[in-house]
Amino acid sequence: MGNVSVLAILDLSAAFDTIDHSILVERLSKKFGLSGIVLKWFESYLIGRTQTTQVKGIKSKIFKVDFGVPQGSVLGPILYTLYTQPLGGVISHHSATYHMYADDTQLYQSAKPSEIKGLLTSIENCIEDVKNWMVANKLKMNDEKTELLCNPKNNICEQDLSICIGDVKITFSENARTWELISAVTCPWNLMRHNLLYCEIHRIGQLSAFLNQNSLKTLVSAFEFTRLDYCNSLLSNSPGFLLNKRFQNQAARIVLRRNKREHTTPMLLTLHWLPIRARVLFKVGVMCFKCFHGSAPAYLDDLVEPYVPPRALRSGGHRLLKVP
């Protein structure tokens, strides 16, 4: 309790395009035990690729592709994850906790406020070792795009504290983009997705005169709700003023072609759209349901523990959870 946590978000340049095929094949063989036909299949998939560009019927020369894994494929992120698997050991050597998703890497450590300088030195050394590992494995880290967040934000983190990566000095940021979500010290909802939603709603509104109601509803579901619902479970305990409802209300008026002064609750009922708060609770409820029935990822299953009361309750049919 009372510790300060520092999160470092690392950025890589064209990570999928710089993977060395020979290193990857060797890692698949020695680290993960692939051999025989399976290993030959991966070699055939990776090695000997070529690429060319065609513009207005004119083709460029054919170039051999000696590095990288195909992006946009199912195997691309998996092969990149297998390629960078040893990186976890490099980070753990510095007693840091880390999260890696494809080419996004985060690491963080916590310490008492009085030990903040030592904490930053530890993170700096960890990032330096990570950078050296990446260089040895043909990956390039963008030093200047590394970002630091401090939580909780207090006068300690407002001091002139920083880390150095190469010749670049990194100071604390107010917010940072990670996994297409903006993590902020104060985490205001409008930082997360409002600009994109405004843009999409405006475009759909311009098309409303040419489309029927079902088509408009499909567009809103595809372009607005996918962004509105992305990571919204993080906001399950947020105060109401952060759960801005105007985007959904505006979308309902566009789909039903209603006046902006009309009340939106009947519109949401007509469209069968859950309000923002209910959408967040529904997402959390679905996650808990999956955890109960064994269809959720292991890292979520471990967080959800059933609560067994010391005596039978009247509402015995309900399942209760331990508070994390």
Side-chain angles (χ1 to χ4, degrees):
M1 295 295 291
N3 284 357
V4 173
S5 296
V6 175
L7 169 70
I9 301 173
L10 311 183
D11 183 85
L12 278 73
S13 293
F16 281 62
D17 297 329
T18 58
I19 290 179
D20 187 287
H21 293 162
S22 60
I23 296 177
L24 176 56
V25 171
E26 182 181 5
R27 195 152 290 159
L28 291 174
S29 174
K30 294 183 177 180
K31 191 75 176 178
F32 299 100
L34 301 187
S35 60
I37 295 176
V38 176
L39 186 62
K40 289 181 179 179
W41 186 90
F42 276 104
E43 289 178 341
S44 174
Y45 178 75
L46 294 167
I47 299 173
R49 285 183 173 271
T50 59
Q51 69 178 25
T52 183
T53 303
Q54 179 174 323
V55 179
K56 295 182 179 180
I58 302 175
K59 285 187 177 181
S60 67
K61 294 181 180 180
I62 297 177
F63 294 92
K64 186 179 178 182
V65 180
D66 295 321
F67 298 89
V69 293
Q71 297 190 45
S73 65
V74 175
L75 279 177
I78 295 175
L79 290 174
Y80 180 86
T81 301
L82 296 176
Y83 186 82
T84 56
Q85 188 274 342
L87 187 57
V90 176
I91 299 174
S92 297
H93 179 72
H94 293 268
S95 301
T97 306
Y98 64 92
H99 292 289
M100 293 193 295
Y101 180 76
D103 59 339
D104 290 312
T105 303
Q106 302 178 2
L107 57 95
Y108 59 92
Q109 284 183 299
S110 300
K112 296 179 180 178
S114 59
E115 301 171 350
I116 184 68
K117 291 186 178 180
L119 176 61
L120 291 177
T121 300
S122 177
I123 289 179
E124 183 179 300
N125 294 334
C126 181
I127 295 176
E128 189 64 30
D129 283 352
V130 168
K131 181 180 177 181
N132 292 336
W133 184 92
M134 289 184 175
V135 170
N137 287 271
K138 311 294 179 65
L139 299 174
K140 184 181 185 301
M141 194 174 80
N142 287 325
D143 299 347
E144 64 279 0
K145 290 188 177 181
T146 299
E147 296 183 280
L148 284 179
L149 286 180
C150 180
N151 188 43
K153 188 175 183 295
N154 51 35
N155 57 354
I156 294 175
C157 298
E158 292 174 355
Q159 298 175 15
D160 186 21
L161 299 173
S162 63
I163 64 172
C164 291
I165 305 175
D167 298 327
V168 180
K169 180 180 179 181
I170 308 296
T171 57
F172 287 114
S173 303
E174 286 292 327
N175 55 74
R177 180 178 295 276
T178 172
W179 301 330
E180 297 307 315
L181 185 71
I182 294 180
S183 302
V185 175
T186 54
C187 199
W189 171 265
N190 61 347
L191 276 177
M192 300 171 73
R193 62 203 79 194
H194 281 193
N195 291 338
L196 284 173
L197 288 172
Y198 267 129
C199 179
E200 297 297 347
I201 290 175
H202 178 69
R203 289 178 178 176
I204 293 173
Q206 291 177 322
L207 296 172
S208 61
F210 308 98
L211 299 174
N212 59 33
Q213 181 175 307
N214 286 334
S215 298
L216 288 172
K217 189 175 179 180
T218 300
L219 284 177
V220 169
S221 298
F223 292 101
E224 181 186 3
F225 286 168
T226 51
R227 292 189 172 98
L228 195 66
D229 294 340
Y230 179 63
C231 290
N232 65 346
S233 56
L234 297 174
L235 302 168
S236 57
N237 291 320
S238 299
F241 73 89
L242 290 181
L243 302 177
N244 199 314
K245 299 180 287 187
R246 55 187 171 182
F247 302 102
Q248 188 181 41
N249 294 344
Q250 186 176 350
R253 293 187 180 103
I254 289 174
V255 172
L256 297 177
R257 295 182 171 87
R258 301 291 178 82
N259 189 287
K260 64 180 181 180
R261 293 183 177 85
E262 291 188 45
H263 192 50
T264 54
T265 299
M267 300 182 198
L268 298 181
L269 290 173
T270 300
L271 293 168
H272 300 286
W273 287 353
L274 289 174
I276 300 297
R277 172 70 72 182
R279 299 181 78 90
V280 174
L281 296 178
F282 178 76
K283 173 73 74 65
V284 175
V286 170
M287 287 183 177
C288 292
F289 179 85
K290 289 182 177 180
C291 290
F292 272 127
H293 292 82
S295 58
Y299 66 88
L300 288 179
D301 281 338
D302 295 340
L303 295 176
V304 177
E305 295 184 43
Y307 171 73
V308 180
R311 57 185 179 84
L313 301 178
R314 292 182 179 178
S315 57
H318 297 288
R319 289 186 171 183
L320 302 177
L321 300 176
K322 288 184 180 179
V323 178

